């Protein structure tokens, strides 16, 4: 009963969905795959899915990445997307190191002036601290614009499985579709900002 969405977007959003755990077979990766399928239904285009547990990225340092085939391919996909969904577990009250490294690598406008939706994942009843952490720090040099809506999936091992049909599951899926519908609306609005000529990343690449 939860496979259809009533959310309608007038913008053909292509989203990037980032699974922020660097465990190879993580709940964050499973949730990201579910969200990618919902993004395609809502936005109308197949999303780009990056699972940091299955695709380890090079570690950032102060030297720019030159001719790194893996990152060049990731960056190309990110540049082609209109919106970003970040799925993060909570490890010790923090976002994982691989996810923070991802944001450090996004220094060439890959995410700039695109809407982002945060999704927290917790095996218990946590999940909020990484979202606050990422809202505080990860937007500065990436110029990513987080939307107000966010999702926290608690007791994640019980959630978003095929055939699940109960009140809590229905509420979660409806709220997730609502957030992704908002993301698509923001994607359409911010596409106009990027096309406006007001964005000058060559002159102002870093936030204050």
């Amino acid at each position: 009963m939860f496979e259809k969405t009533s959310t309608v977007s007038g913008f053909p959003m292509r989203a990037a969905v980032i699974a922020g755990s660097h465990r190879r077979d993580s709940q964050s990766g499973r949730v990201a795959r579910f969200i990618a399928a919902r993004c395609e239904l809502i936005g109308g285009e197949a999303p780009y899915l990056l699972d940091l547990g299955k695709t380890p990225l090079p570690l950032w340092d102060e030297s720019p990445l030159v001719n790194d085939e893996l990152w060049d391919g990731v960056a190309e996909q990110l540049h082609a997307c209109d919106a970003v969904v970040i799925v993060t577990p909570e490890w010790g009250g923090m976002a994982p190191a691989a996810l923070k490294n991802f944001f450090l690598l996004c220094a060439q406008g890959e995410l700039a002036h695109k809407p982002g939706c945060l999704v927290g994942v917790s095996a218990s009843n946590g999940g909020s601290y990484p979202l606050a952490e990422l809202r505080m720090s990860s937007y500065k040099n990436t110029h990513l614009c987080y939307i107000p809506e966010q999702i926290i999936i608690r007791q994640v091992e019980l959630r978003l499985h095929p055939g699940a049909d109960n009140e809590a599951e229905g509420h979660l899926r409806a709220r997730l579709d609502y957030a992704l519908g908002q993301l698509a609306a923001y994607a359409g609005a911010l596409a106009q900002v990027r096309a406006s000529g007001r964005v000058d990343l060559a002159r102002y690449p870093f936030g204050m």
Side-chain angles (χ1 to χ4, degrees), residues 41-117:
L41 287 173
I42 290 168
E45 295 196 19
Y48 169 59
L49 176 62
L50 176 63
D51 186 334
L52 298 180
K54 298 183 186 300
T55 307
L57 298 177
L59 288 177
W60 175 89
D61 62 24
E62 67 276 8
S63 304
L65 287 175
V66 178
N67 297 325
D68 185 288
E69 185 175 345
L70 172 60
W71 176 249
D72 287 347
V74 171
E76 182 179 1
Q77 291 283 353
L78 295 173
H79 276 295
C81 289
D82 310 295
V84 187
V85 180
I86 305 294
V87 182
T88 177
E90 182 175 86
W91 291 356
M94 299 179 288
L99 184 54
K100 299 300 288 286
N101 181 64
F102 165 79
F103 285 113
L104 289 170
L105 292 171
C106 291
Q108 301 298 319
E110 293 89 348
L111 309 179
H113 301 283
K114 298 176 183 180
C117 180

Side-chain angles (χ1 to χ4, degrees), residues 177-192:
D177 280 357
Y178 172 70
L180 295 178
Q182 284 204 348
L183 184 69
Y186 276 92
L190 288 180
Q192 298 179 58

Side-chain angles (χ1 to χ4, degrees), residues 26-41:
S26 66
Q27 293 294 325
S28 297
R30 181 179 66 81
V31 168
R33 290 189 292 275
F34 180 93
I35 290 174
R38 301 308 293 173
C39 284
E40 185 169 3
L41 287 173

